[in-house]
Amino acid sequence: MSLGKNGEPERDGAVLKPLQWERSWSFIFLIKVALSVVLMFAPPKVKAQNDTEPIVLEGKCLVVCDSNPSSDGAVTSSLGISVRSGSAKVAFSAIRNTNHEPSEMSNRTKTIYFDQVLVNVGNHFDLASSAFVAPRKGIYSFSFHVVKVYNRQTIEVSLMQNDYPVISAFAGDQDVTREAASNGVLLHMERHDKVHLRLERGNLMGGWKYSTFSGFLVFPL
């Protein structure tokens, strides 16, 4: 250290520069720590189009939250928000292998019975009663295709919702032996509503998988 003209020690610029750099680095470090703490306690961002669509977090579908809970089988929290599984699926397709309808049982009930299930996602189609039971409130799609046995005969088939005919199909060409009656519909169903096919008149060709009955959940409500 050298002395100046007044006898005071001279300040060396090479010593002051490292001290100023250390103070600047400490200030930057404190700012980074403060930002880390703020981000740590910030709520995670989620993306959902509306209150009834799946919540997406990091590209994965979690649940469907309904701000208007109903008695459709969903789990309702103490906050009054019902939560349904975002991956729930409902679908069925049944065929008839055995031959003519009506059988001894269907003569009494007029129900068209099916004896083989191709698809039964959710197990909501009961083969014994040949009826579909809605697991939840929603919009469902149904279709059927049935074939009559003989010419000079008329068949009429109705799709029944809770024993009420919703739609019907008719086949009555007297010159056609294997004429088909088909129809399809979208239905608004409540939980536990039932759907089945009713043979109003005529006989069906049930063998060789001619007659089919299918349905699926379009979306829950």
Side-chain angles (χ1 to χ4, degrees):
M1 181 182 296
S2 60
L3 296 178
K5 295 180 179 180
N6 298 327
E8 295 180 355
E10 292 183 348
R11 297 184 179 179
D12 192 350
V15 176
L16 290 176
K17 288 182 180 179
L19 292 176
Q20 292 175 352
W21 173 254
E22 290 176 3
R23 290 172 183 173
S24 301
W25 175 253
S26 299
F27 181 73
I28 294 173
F29 178 76
L30 289 175
I31 292 177
K32 289 184 177 181
V33 172
L35 289 175
S36 299
V37 172
V38 171
L39 294 176
M40 184 182 301
F41 292 98
K45 292 183 179 180
V46 297
K47 182 177 70 174
Q49 295 180 358
N50 54 52
D51 60 353
T52 60
E53 293 188 1
I55 295 175
V56 178
L57 180 61
E58 295 182 356
K60 295 182 179 180
C61 178
L62 300 180
V63 294
V64 178
C65 296
D66 189 356
S67 58
N68 298 311
S70 60
S71 57
D72 62 351
V75 179
T76 303
S77 70
S78 58
L79 298 178
I81 299 176
S82 62
V83 180
R84 296 188 297 266
S85 170
S87 61
K89 296 178 178 63
V90 179
F92 78 93
S93 187
I95 62 176
R96 183 173 173 82
N97 277 310
T98 54
N99 210 343
H100 302 161
E101 278 279 12
S103 63
E104 181 179 350
M105 178 179 292
S106 58
N107 266 327
R108 299 193 305 268
T109 65
K110 298 296 184 181
T111 298
I112 298 177
Y113 289 95
F114 296 85
D115 52 21
Q116 183 179 347
V117 174
L118 300 180
V119 173
N120 198 7
V121 179
N123 295 316
H124 300 295
F125 180 79
D126 179 58
L127 191 62
S129 63
S130 290
F132 171 80
V133 181
R136 66 193 63 186
K137 180 180 178 181
I139 301 299
Y140 292 79
S141 175
F142 296 97
S143 62
F144 61 88
H145 179 90
V146 296
V147 180
K148 72 177 186 179
V149 178
Y150 310 109
N151 57 357
R152 300 191 187 90
Q153 184 186 94
T154 297
I155 63 169
E156 183 179 353
V157 177
S158 295
L159 185 142
M160 313 292 291
Q161 181 178 4
N162 298 329
D163 296 323
Y164 177 80
V166 179
I167 59 171
S168 298
F170 177 88
D173 193 329
Q174 301 298 308
D175 297 325
V176 178
T177 302
R178 298 292 184 259
E179 188 180 8
S182 303
N183 211 338
V185 69
L186 290 176
L187 292 182
H188 181 290
M189 299 183 70
E190 300 289 338
R191 188 185 182 196
H192 298 319
D193 278 0
K194 293 183 179 181
V195 169
H196 71 279
L197 297 183
R198 176 185 173 99
L199 182 63
E200 304 290 359
R201 57 174 167 162
N203 292 276
L204 302 184
M205 172 61 74
W208 301 285
K209 305 176 183 179
Y210 287 136
S211 296
T212 63
F213 181 30
S214 303
F216 59 92
L217 171 65
V218 180
F219 55 83
L221 295 175

